[in-house]
Amino acid sequence: MSTEAGAAAPAVPDRTPAGERGFTRIADRVVAKIAARAAREAIAPLPRAADPPHATVNVRPRARGTGPVEDSPFATARVRVVLELEYPGDIGARCAAVRRWVTERLGTLANMEVPEVVVEVERLRLPGELQGRTV
């Protein structure tokens, strides 16, 4: 069997075992952006003129022997999300929705386990309240 000049050789599948291939580490700031976006999605629509949610994360290596070999060693994230909500409203339900959605999105998009999502409500906004804080 011969190949034509310039034709690419057929791709050979990688047969390296999963534990020997390495991993991709996702930067903490990227994980924080995913978490903030997920929080925005969970509470949409945002209160008028509200600051968008922001998140901080603490990504920790998974302890050896606690998960499948194909998992990244950087697979656990603890998240803190700070947001503003409209009032009146069911604050507990909205915070629970943020926790669930942040956990699900980080699991799906970053393959991370999220054992803790702390939701901090920084401000409650009344309908029609102007942006900015009063002194």
Side-chain angles (χ1 to χ4, degrees), residues 11-97:
V12 178
D14 185 10
R15 303 222 188 267
T16 307
E20 296 175 16
R21 282 193 296 249
F23 60 90
T24 301
R25 184 178 189 287
I26 301 172
D28 292 5
R29 71 176 192 270
V30 174
V31 177
K33 285 182 180 186
I34 293 170
R37 175 64 185 240
R40 252 190 324 273
E41 292 169 358
I43 62 170
L46 289 174
R48 196 176 128 250
D51 293 332
H54 63 276
T56 56
V57 298
N58 185 2
V59 179
R60 299 259 180 186
R62 181 187 300 273
R64 292 203 183 276
T66 60
V69 174
E70 61 272 3
D71 282 348
S72 157
F74 294 93
T76 302
R78 296 193 187 282
V79 180
R80 175 179 295 276
V81 178
V82 179
L83 48 89
E84 295 182 10
L85 295 175
E86 275 189 336
Y87 185 80
D90 190 347
I91 296 166
R94 297 197 74 193
C95 290

Side-chain angles (χ1 to χ4, degrees), residues 118-132:
V118 175
V119 178
E120 181 181 324
V121 179
E122 184 175 73
R123 182 176 172 94
L124 295 174
R125 290 193 176 271
L126 295 171
E129 186 177 346
L130 298 174
Q131 183 173 4

Side-chain angles (χ1 to χ4, degrees), residues 26 30-43 57 75 77 79 81 96-114 117:
I26 301 172
V30 174
V31 177
K33 285 182 180 186
I34 293 170
R37 175 64 185 240
R40 252 190 324 273
E41 292 169 358
I43 62 170
V57 298
V79 180
V81 178
V98 168
R99 278 188 213 89
R100 277 191 307 273
W101 193 240
V102 167
T103 300
E104 182 178 325
R105 297 305 285 166
L106 284 176
T108 301
L109 297 174
N111 193 29
M112 293 190 146
E113 207 176 277
V114 185
V117 177

